[in-house]
Amino acid sequence: MTDTTIPTPRAKRPRSQQQRSRPAAPPPQQQQRTREVHPVLEKLFELYPKMFGAQFLPLKLGAFQDLLAENPDTFRRDELKVALGLHARSTRYLECVAAGLPRHNLQGEPVEPVAPEHVHHAIMEVFRRRQARSKEDLRPKARARLVAAIEASGLSREEYAERARTQDEAANALLDEAFAELAVQTAKREALMRAFEASGKTVEQFAEMYGMNPADVAQAVERTRRAGTAQPQ
């Protein structure tokens, strides 16, 4: 009878060791091609870093013609038009418009305010893009931005609505929520203003009497006076 030796089974390595022995996955930048930047935008960044650099600023109306006039041998009209379109539709650019920053010339100097309707539509577009990628309900933040934009516009509710309303029912509903929130805030400021004027006290004394922050009281008083909404008793 032949003596047969049964080989001893090779011990299995722990799963953690098996995982460590596997080749590391390539980094994300190697798994997919990095999105290329339009060459005209790269040139704009080189020529006008204040406007097309790390921080974007709203461009003045007519910037396209200014760029062609200043760089007649550098940009082709069609390519520049495409590049500026990509720039203006980027979320980073829309964010600077939504923030209410003024329009700037190519040297980075403020020259004019952005129209209220442009600020409004930028706020709404940034909200839509971010909400699509987020599980959080971003409506309260968007509503707060709209309230601030409405106040900053200096327009009446009717004037602002005429400029801002679109065919988008969801956007119009959010605008109505912002109008309602602004009405509540305005009523509270008016009530505070009446109480302050009736007290005959200074801002600091009034704030201490009601346990409020003097800075908040001063801001509410100033905003109510500036808006001309204080109602005498």
Side-chain angles (χ1 to χ4, degrees), residues 119-133:
V119 175
H120 175 87
H121 295 314
I123 291 173
M124 292 304 305
E125 183 59 27
V126 170
F127 161 67
R128 292 189 192 97
R129 295 183 186 186
R130 290 183 174 169
Q131 187 63 80
R133 301 191 303 268

Side-chain angles (χ1 to χ4, degrees), residues 2-95:
T2 303
D3 184 14
T4 303
T5 302
I6 300 176
T8 302
R10 185 171 56 183
K12 293 185 178 181
R13 289 179 294 178
R15 181 176 298 273
S16 60
Q17 294 183 8
Q18 294 180 22
Q19 291 175 342
R20 286 198 298 266
S21 64
R22 293 175 182 173
Q29 60 268 30
Q30 295 181 11
Q31 294 180 11
Q32 59 182 5
R33 186 178 180 182
T34 303
R35 184 168 53 182
E36 296 181 357
V37 178
H38 196 288
V40 173
L41 289 177
E42 291 183 340
K43 190 63 178 179
L44 288 170
F45 167 69
E46 176 186 334
L47 295 174
Y48 305 99
K50 291 183 179 180
M51 297 302 298
F52 299 92
Q55 179 182 359
F56 289 170
L57 292 170
L59 288 164
K60 70 179 286 288
L61 299 178
F64 175 73
Q65 289 78 8
D66 293 346
L67 285 167
L68 288 176
E70 291 188 15
N71 307 275
D73 301 323
T74 303
F75 300 121
R76 295 175 55 183
R77 174 178 289 270
D78 292 344
E79 292 181 349
L80 179 61
K81 185 176 182 179
V82 170
L84 286 183
L86 293 172
H87 178 73
R89 290 190 296 272
S90 70
T91 301
R92 285 179 60 199
Y93 183 82
L94 290 171
E95 181 58 53

Side-chain angles (χ1 to χ4, degrees), residues 187-199:
K188 288 181 178 179
R189 287 199 298 266
E190 290 177 352
L192 184 146
M193 184 67 178
R194 289 193 295 269
F196 169 70
E197 290 184 332
S199 71

